[in-house]
Amino acid sequence: MSEHPYGTPLPHGTPDGPLSQPLVRATTGALPSAEALRAAGAGESRAHFFYQRCGHPNERAFEAQVAGREGADGAVAFSSGMAAVTAVCLTFLRAGSRLLMADEIYGGSVALAAQDLPRFGVRVDRISCLDLAALDAALAEPADLLLFETPVNPTLRIVDVRAVAERCRRAGVRTVLDGTFAPPPVQRALALGVDLVLHSATKYFGGHSDVLAGVVAGAHAVMRPLAALRQRTGAVLAPDAAWLLCRSMATLPLRLAAQQATALAVARACRPRSGAAGWPRSPIRDCPSIPTGN
């Protein structure tokens, strides 16, 4: 188990041990002594598997893979993408906080912002992150968090991540990007300057329509409080789901390459008939040609 309460990138080197992650469904682990039990319960030691809600081997293995691919210090996995979004909001917002949320964002996030966050005293202002002048105007007033998405689900419109992140950094606003529709290596949001990147792992990371999950990646300073909230609220990723995700991550680059080739073929076939097609890397309507990173 990692010294952190979440997965961290694996060191490069010669593989050692099973090439397929063993599935560990146990909810509780035996510890070698009463002192080891005390230290584990107090969070002072993570040398041993203790209790599934506090972290388990399959969850850590998936988190380690995501952290490595995102170039992050660590990653925290959740039971769904919306569990990840909710955890980020509960961790970094409180009564009196101001959340800036993009107009172009997943409907589940919109519902959370409209129906739940205001009940806890969080002010939510909607802006278009496709309009940098509008973002500048919104940042003229203090804010705590910006939640935005690119490519946008389902229109595939592209936000200039670097420009948004730079503006928010100058204003002292933490940035959270939902990068579900462009997982690495297509887009590496942290390298473009955002503070946290989250994914509905149900989509591209899972890839087989048989697992529900979410994950957030970033620096240790933001992962630690997020992992602590996950443990308190119990929104952990189950071992079976984590195992399936580890299986899927091995084929992620191959699947992405095939999906991109298919999308281009569909866009080219549809364009003569409709006059437009939503493919983010072509300069056609609703898809400005802004790089998504490399």
Side-chain angles (χ1 to χ4, degrees), residues 263-274 277:
L264 176 57
V266 171
R268 284 173 171 166
C270 291
R271 191 176 181 187
R273 295 171 174 81
S274 65

Side-chain angles (χ1 to χ4, degrees), residues 56 60 67 70 72 87 115 134 143 149 186-187 206 209 226 239 247 255 265:
H56 57 82
R60 292 289 187 273
E70 286 287 7
Q115 300 176 29
E149 177 179 353
V186 177
Q187 175 175 266
S209 300
L226 194 61
R247 166 216 62 182
R255 289 186 284 107

Side-chain angles (χ1 to χ4, degrees), residues 11-272:
H12 292 287
T14 303
D16 182 21
L19 294 180
S20 177
Q21 178 73 21
L23 174 59
V24 181
R25 289 193 175 110
T27 58
T28 310
L31 278 73
S33 67
E35 172 57 24
L37 177 61
R38 184 205 64 77
E44 298 171 5
S45 171
R46 297 185 177 88
H48 304 281
F49 169 67
F50 167 53
Y51 186 59
Q52 193 178 112
R53 180 168 54 82
C54 302
H56 57 82
N58 296 109
E59 183 181 64
R60 292 289 187 273
F62 170 61
E63 292 169 339
Q65 291 200 41
V66 173
R69 290 177 186 270
E70 286 287 7
D73 287 348
V76 180
F78 293 88
S79 53
S80 71
M82 279 311 302
V85 173
T86 302
V88 167
C89 291
L90 292 180
T91 299
F92 300 109
L93 298 171
R94 62 190 67 204
S97 292
R98 180 178 179 231
L99 168 66
L100 299 177
M101 177 174 282
D103 289 332
E104 310 83 15
I105 202 162
Y106 179 61
S109 299
V110 173
L112 175 71
Q115 300 176 29
D116 297 299
L117 294 181
R119 296 191 294 113
F120 298 98
V122 175
R123 173 182 164 188
V124 180
D125 288 335
R126 302 293 301 281
I127 57 166
S128 173
C129 283
L130 295 168
D131 183 346
L132 294 178
L135 176 61
D136 288 336
L139 292 173
E141 184 180 349
D144 298 277
L145 195 70
L146 170 70
L147 178 59
F148 69 117
E149 177 179 353
T150 189
V152 178
N153 174 6
T155 63
L156 300 183
R157 300 191 74 180
I158 303 298
V159 175
D160 188 339
V161 177
R162 197 183 300 277
V164 170
E166 288 174 353
R167 284 165 166 76
C168 287
R169 187 178 301 107
R170 290 197 298 267
V173 176
R174 180 174 279 123
T175 47
V176 184
L177 172 65
D178 183 340
T180 296
F181 266 34
V186 177
Q187 175 175 266
R188 290 191 171 92
L190 299 177
L192 295 174
V194 302
D195 296 303
L196 300 102
V197 59
L198 66 85
H199 296 268
S200 169
T202 309
K203 312 299 191 302
Y204 288 98
F205 283 164
H208 295 79
S209 300
D210 59 2
V211 62
L212 186 72
V215 64
V216 184
H220 287 307
V222 286
M223 290 296 97
R224 291 190 192 101
L226 194 61
L229 183 128
R230 176 185 63 180
Q231 181 173 326
R232 292 193 299 271
T233 58
V236 297
L237 182 63
D240 289 74
W243 186 92
L244 287 170
L245 286 162
C246 288
R247 166 216 62 182
S248 295
M249 293 295 278
T251 61
L252 178 63
L254 297 174
R255 289 186 284 107
L256 285 173
Q259 287 157 346
Q260 288 176 313
T262 301
L264 176 57
V266 171
R268 284 173 171 166
C270 291
R271 191 176 181 187

